[in-house]
Every structure is written in C-alpha cells, then in structure tokens.
Amino acid sequence: MSPPVSAQHNSSKHPPCASPSAASPARASPPAMPRVTSLLPALLFVLLPGLNQGYFPEERWSPESPLLAPRVVIALVCRNSAHSLPLFLGAIERLNYPKERIALWVATDHNIDNTTAVLREWLIKVQNDYHYVEWRPDEEPSTFEDEAGPKHWNNLRYEHVMKLRQAALETAREVWADYLLVADCDNLLTNQDVLWKMMRENKTIVAPMLESRAAYSNFWCGMTSQGYYMRTPAYMPIRKLERRGCFAVPMVHSTYLLDLQKEASRQLAFYPPHPEYSWALDDVIAFAYSARMADVQMYVCNKETYGYFPVPMRSHASLQDETESFLHTQLEIMVRNPPLEPSSFLSLPPKQPDKIGFDEVFLINLVRRTDRRERMLRALYEQELSCKVVAAVDGKALNKTDVESLGIKMLPGYKDPYHGRPLTKGELGCFLSHYNIWKEIVDRGVQTSLVIEDDLRFEVFFRRRLQALLQEVTTHELDWDLIYIGRKRMQVDHPETSVPKIHNLVEADYSYWTLGYMLSLQGAQKLLRAQPLTKMLPVDEFLPVMYNKHPISDYMDHFERRDLRAFSAEPLLVYPTHYTGDPGYISDTETSVVWDNETVRTDWDRAKSRKTQEQGELSFEAQNSDVLQSELENWSARDEL
C-alpha cells in the first residue's frame, strides 16, 4: 500500500479514438465547411472562459481528496523491557504514519524491573495522539513457575505469550483494522517509513529484515520436519545483503506485519495451536505452522535497512546482561547513523560517567573530524565512561620545516612492508598524537591510562570486560606496560601465549593498529626513553619493535632496549568502524601524502593495504584456544540463532 496520494484515474470507459489507417474503409469526403466555423470553439473558449468549468456550480469539477491511511494496530507485549523502552518507544513515535490511524495494544506482566511504570508514563502522555489504546498491565506474579531466570523460556511462558498475541489479533479484527504490526519491545525500527514500505509489498505476512551484531536476524530460511531451525545456503546471502528483495521464507519473527484485509488472514491464529500441530510449544514456530496450514507464505524484505535488534541472550543470562547487550545494539546503530534518541515523553535519569579505575582516559581526535568526536563522546557517555579529548596532530598541516624543528628524523631505510613507500603525513601525525599522550602521562605521573582513537567500535559488554581486565591484572600484580584492547594480529602462524590466572589475556605478538590500549606509567617511560622521534617509523610498527616482536630485525637493531611488556585482550574489546573497501572508509593516516613530498599521494594504498583490511580468518592452529575465558564469552553468542 502506497502512502496516500491524489489518485489520477482515467474515467473514460472507451478506448481512445483510433487514428485513420489504410485499413479503414473508404468513405466519401464530407462537403467542405466554411473555414470560419473552425474558429467558433476557440472564440467561445476565449469569450466565455467559465464554460470549461461547467455552466452550473454543481457541474464544476474539483479533485477528490486522498484516501485515508489504512488502520493499523501495533501490538506490544513487553516484559522486563525498561532498558529498551525509551529508544523503542521513541522509534514508534517517529514512524512516518498518521497516529490517528494507529491503535496501540499494549500488555506487560511478570516484570522484575519498572517496565509497567515506563509504559504507563508513556501511554498517559501519548494516548490522545493515537486513535485507540488498550492497556493490559499485570503486576503479579513477577515470574513464571519453574522459571530459572528472566531469559528462561518454559512452556508456561510460551503459552502465555501466545495467548496475548492472539488477544491482540482478535482486537485488531474486532476494530476492523487493516493491518496488525507485531513488534518485540527491543526491536528498533530506524526506518521511519517501514509501515508504508511493508504495506507496499502486498503480502499477508511480511517482515522487515532487522540487523544485529551477528549472523542472527528475524527470519529462517530452513525448517526441519520437527519445526526447528535448519541452516541453509540461502540464509547468509540474504542476511549479508548479497541478494536484495523480498523473499519467501518458512519463518519470520520478532517484527512483522499482518495484512488483515487478505481473506486467508482469517485462518491465522497464535493460540490455540492448529489441531494438527505436534511440534514444540513455541510461539514463533506455532504461528509459522498456522500460516503454513492457512496456505499463507511468509516473506522477509531486505531492500533497505529497516531496523536493528540485539542477539538473544542465553537462558542463564541476567537482566543486566540483556541490558548491556541492548546498549551494544544502540552503539552499533551510531557507527553509520545518527544516534537514536529516546522518547521525548519519558523522564530519564542522567548517567554518571567515570573512568572505571583508570587514572585517565585519553580520546585522540582530529579537530576537523567533529563527526567522529561527537559519535565517540556520545558512545562513551552511553557506556558511562568519561574521557579527556586530546587534539590529534594533523599531519596534513605539517611541512618539512615543522618536522625538522621538532627534531624528527626518519628511521634509516624504513619502507612500508606492503607498499615500499616511506611514512605518510598522516602516519607522522598519528605518531605525534600518541607521543604527546605518552609525554603527558610521564609529566603528570599518571599510573594507568586508557588511550583510544576516534574511529573504533565497541565490542559487546565493553565496559564490564575492560573493568574486569584492569581489576585482574591489578589483583594478580601482573608486570605490564601495554595491553592492546584493539589491534590487527599479524603473526598468525602459531598461537600467542596465554597469561596464567588472568582471563582473556595473551602475550602480544607482531600486531598492527593503535585503536585502543592500556598504558602504564612505566610503559610510557620506556617508550619515551627510546627517543623515537630521532628514528621514526609508524607508531604501530614502533610498538612491536619495543616489545621485540617485529619481523624485520633491521628496524629493531636501531633500538637497543626492547623490553616493553606487551599483552593483548583476547578476544579484542574494540574494532575499527570501517575497513578498506567499506562504504564510508576514510583513513587519515594511510591515504594522505608522503611526509617529505606532497606530490606523492598514497590513495593507491586502498587497493592493497593490509593495515586497514579486516582481519582474515585465522587458521585453527593459530587460534588462542588455551586462553582462560570468562563467562561473558558464553553469553555473547554470534550464531544465526
């Protein structure tokens, strides 16, 4: 269904007049009329212009008004959703659809958080904007019988949700709604035209494909004979947008639109399950079976980006785990989109940022890259992390005189290992940016610091993982100078050595990138003591030299003391926002000009850069499989399900 527009109809029931052709029968020509008669209509048109509007007022033509938008019921079944509701409800408010044509059907129960209060506050303030609101809160009980935790689904919970969805469907039918939109309360519909676009597909059941941090999405491409998920070759090309369109699939869930104008929709039911249903008691599987028995095909559309949602947590996860997982979804949206704002009708408590145990957190940012600075400051704020923004040295503004005045000399014989070129201006500025922070750490006597760049994205549970790592190395009194939290591991022939008694930590081997690292005062002193400005190379080549892991011994020979104690988080905690070839990829270091010759540009680096390419899959033998893993690694699944 398209948005309402003024229809343009051809009211004639007859075909247009045919032009004369050779096949027409011959007729005698009519007698010639005086030429003046052919001017009569034109004269009447000029002298009596009102005739073309009708002689009588009731004959005057006026355009018809556009059609009203179809009536939609949005069904929300929310449980323990206080963490996601501000953003979720904000997205519902911003849908580009007339609110007077929307009815809200909202149910909540079995909560251990303040979901009911959040929904009530919102509904009170928006109820007059929408056509109709049905509110079904239930405060008691807060858990289901034999429920292991808030993320555990047992048969009682499945059956309860099925009954609620059926009640919403029946309400939609009773109020003669044209459509029913089912949406889970942590699904963020960022495409404001999603309702119109799904209607336009003219399907009985259609889902907008939702993005997540993993292969997981809100559709299946295969189903076993028992109704369970089955992986098929068709899934990933759709999920990765290698194929675009609307695709027939056996299952959609989480967010989808039902067209109640279709006759077959009358046979659809969430509860009770179809009389022939013998599969597991599961709300999404039972509804997919109902659609199959009604001969209704489900579809998923990925023509555009419609929204995002978090990967489901394991059944033993806590509500705090789910809250942090949802926060990660919010941060991922910000990588390529403006921040998603919460509902303007909800009062939210301010966040309390801190440094989570570090004495200082440095954020390196080029002054001219306001977009990156704003995104990072917002992302850090949402994670309740405070930082000091450090103005990066802009390599583009440096000339040869500036370089010489700083006493900078290039490492003799240095050439980029993959391009055979000397340092770029961007790499020079990058080094100086980090160098200035090392100097500040030493000058201020800062014991532990976190240094991050402005072009990174955070892994799920970032704050908790980083805080746990800092606490563990402190508790076990690890002698450390530098700990990567983001890097590109270049040595992949053998596993890195794990650190005993400390979770998720290995001894760092040859690595690229300085996205993020922890640095001790002792480590900063060692880096400055090497006097790197007198024999400069890129900062991410310098660091492996300092911990004696660079593969080119000629470079290391210029630095007598190479005793930096370097480690790395495993798995990593931050990654680049973009890789070479990604839409929006911009490198301020590699794709600039050679430091001492502005006529030599390095944009050609994009094609064969190994620094900015995504880390390829490591061989099984090179995996750091003996690393002591924390429980969080089991809670952050990346599977399709």
Side-chain angles (χ1 to χ4, degrees), residues 167-328:
L169 176 60
E170 290 173 359
T171 295
R173 287 168 172 161
E174 288 169 3
V175 299
W176 296 89
D178 299 305
Y179 292 92
L180 173 67
L181 176 68
V182 175
D184 287 351
C185 297
D186 59 359
N187 291 195
L188 300 175
L189 299 175
T190 56
N191 190 317
Q192 297 179 7
D193 295 317
V194 64
L195 270 175
W196 286 118
K197 289 175 178 178
M198 292 302 101
M199 291 176 183
R200 200 173 293 138
E201 298 300 332
N202 194 27
K203 309 294 186 187
T204 307
I205 305 176
V206 61
M209 191 189 82
L210 301 180
E211 300 284 341
S212 79
R213 63 183 171 85
Y216 178 77
S217 191
N218 59 322
F219 70 98
W220 297 1
C221 278
M223 186 181 288
T224 69
S225 57
Q226 291 78 38
Y228 291 111
Y229 176 81
M230 181 173 66
R231 181 170 297 190
T232 70
Y235 182 87
M236 289 309 296
I238 296 174
R239 175 66 186 86
K240 291 183 176 181
L241 307 180
E242 294 167 1
R243 297 180 61 208
R244 286 183 180 263
C246 277
F247 304 96
V249 293
M251 160 77 78
V252 295
H253 58 85
S254 299
T255 292
Y256 48 90
L257 187 70
L258 305 185
D259 187 346
L260 303 181
Q261 302 166 103
K262 298 289 176 63
E263 184 176 354
S265 72
R266 299 169 66 183
Q267 302 176 52
L268 296 174
F270 292 95
Y271 189 87
H274 191 276
E276 298 179 20
Y277 185 79
S278 60
W279 295 345
L281 189 63
D282 181 295
D283 59 320
V284 298
I285 299 176
F287 185 64
Y289 188 89
S290 172
R292 177 184 297 188
M293 299 307 291
D295 202 23
V296 171
Q297 178 64 61
M298 291 181 162
Y299 289 86
V300 65
C301 294
N302 69 349
K303 296 178 179 178
E304 302 178 31
T305 298
Y306 300 107
Y308 298 78
F309 70 155
V311 175
M313 304 300 295
R314 303 301 191 193
S315 61
H316 60 274
S318 68
L319 190 54
Q320 179 62 27
D321 300 328
E322 185 175 34
T323 300
E324 293 180 25
S325 177
F326 179 80
L327 170 61
H328 183 260

Side-chain angles (χ1 to χ4, degrees), residues 75-90:
L76 310 180
V77 177
C78 306
R79 184 193 180 197
N80 292 325
S81 302
H83 60 280
S84 62
L85 282 174
L87 291 182
F88 171 78
L89 296 175

Side-chain angles (χ1 to χ4, degrees), residues 489-504:
R489 183 175 158 209
M490 299 304 293
Q491 185 287 115
V492 296
D493 293 331
H494 57 268
E496 295 171 310
T497 303
S498 62
V499 179
K501 299 181 181 179
I502 298 181
H503 292 89
N504 309 116

Side-chain angles (χ1 to χ4, degrees), residues 221-513:
C221 278
M223 186 181 288
T224 69
S225 57
Q226 291 78 38
Y228 291 111
Y229 176 81
M230 181 173 66
R231 181 170 297 190
T232 70
Y235 182 87
M236 289 309 296
I238 296 174
R239 175 66 186 86
K240 291 183 176 181
L241 307 180
E242 294 167 1
R243 297 180 61 208
R244 286 183 180 263
C246 277
F247 304 96
V249 293
M251 160 77 78
V252 295
H253 58 85
S254 299
T255 292
Y256 48 90
L257 187 70
L258 305 185
D259 187 346
L260 303 181
Q261 302 166 103
K262 298 289 176 63
E263 184 176 354
S265 72
R266 299 169 66 183
Q267 302 176 52
L268 296 174
F270 292 95
Y271 189 87
H274 191 276
E276 298 179 20
Y277 185 79
S278 60
W279 295 345
L281 189 63
D282 181 295
D283 59 320
V284 298
I285 299 176
F287 185 64
Y289 188 89
S290 172
R292 177 184 297 188
M293 299 307 291
D295 202 23
V296 171
Q297 178 64 61
M298 291 181 162
Y299 289 86
V300 65
C301 294
N302 69 349
K303 296 178 179 178
E304 302 178 31
T305 298
Y306 300 107
Y308 298 78
F309 70 155
V311 175
M313 304 300 295
R314 303 301 191 193
S315 61
H316 60 274
S318 68
L319 190 54
Q320 179 62 27
D321 300 328
E322 185 175 34
T323 300
E324 293 180 25
S325 177
F326 179 80
L327 170 61
H328 183 260
T329 301
Q330 178 184 358
L331 300 180
E332 284 292 282
I333 292 174
M334 292 166 55
V335 172
R336 290 179 169 84
N337 306 277
L340 195 60
E341 300 297 340
S343 167
S344 59
F345 296 103
L346 296 176
S347 54
L348 304 177
K351 295 182 180 292
Q352 304 293 330
D354 59 32
K355 297 175 184 175
I356 64 169
F358 290 99
D359 296 304
E360 190 59 272
V361 177
F362 296 97
L363 169 62
I364 301 174
N365 167 256
L366 281 169
V367 173
R368 57 184 166 85
R369 296 308 300 269
T370 56
D371 55 334
R372 290 183 176 181
R373 181 169 61 253
E374 291 171 0
R375 183 189 72 84
M376 282 296 295
L377 289 176
R378 178 66 179 269
L380 291 170
Y381 174 78
E382 295 295 344
Q383 297 175 93
E384 298 191 271
L385 278 168
S386 60
C387 72
K388 176 181 180 180
V389 178
V390 177
V393 176
D394 194 341
K396 288 185 176 181
L398 294 173
N399 56 42
K400 196 170 182 179
T401 303
D402 296 328
V403 173
E404 291 173 351
S405 67
L406 292 170
I408 295 174
K409 296 180 181 178
M410 300 303 146
L411 184 75
Y414 172 75
K415 289 186 178 181
D416 182 276
Y418 300 105
H419 314 125
R421 57 151 173 79
L423 235 65
T424 68
K425 279 193 169 186
E427 288 170 331
L428 181 59
C430 180
F431 194 111
L432 291 174
S433 302
H434 286 270
Y435 181 85
N436 290 342
I437 289 176
W438 305 339
K439 279 186 87 289
E440 181 175 341
I441 289 172
V442 173
D443 293 344
R444 290 172 50 193
V446 181
Q447 291 297 320
T448 57
S449 301
L450 176 66
V451 182
I452 54 177
E453 296 179 344
D454 64 0
D455 56 348
L456 59 79
R457 64 203 306 169
F458 299 92
E459 183 55 286
V460 65
F461 304 126
F462 170 77
R463 179 188 168 97
R464 202 190 325 178
R465 284 170 158 169
L466 182 59
Q467 195 168 25
L469 180 57
L470 179 60
Q471 289 174 348
E472 284 203 52
V473 298
T474 303
T475 300
H476 293 283
E477 299 181 340
L478 179 70
D479 182 14
W480 66 277
D481 296 323
L482 180 144
I483 299 176
Y484 288 105
I485 65 168
R487 61 171 177 152
K488 180 175 182 180
R489 183 175 158 209
M490 299 304 293
Q491 185 287 115
V492 296
D493 293 331
H494 57 268
E496 295 171 310
T497 303
S498 62
V499 179
K501 299 181 181 179
I502 298 181
H503 292 89
N504 309 116
L505 194 66
V506 296
E507 296 179 11
D509 213 315
Y510 181 42
S511 304
Y512 272 165
W513 300 345

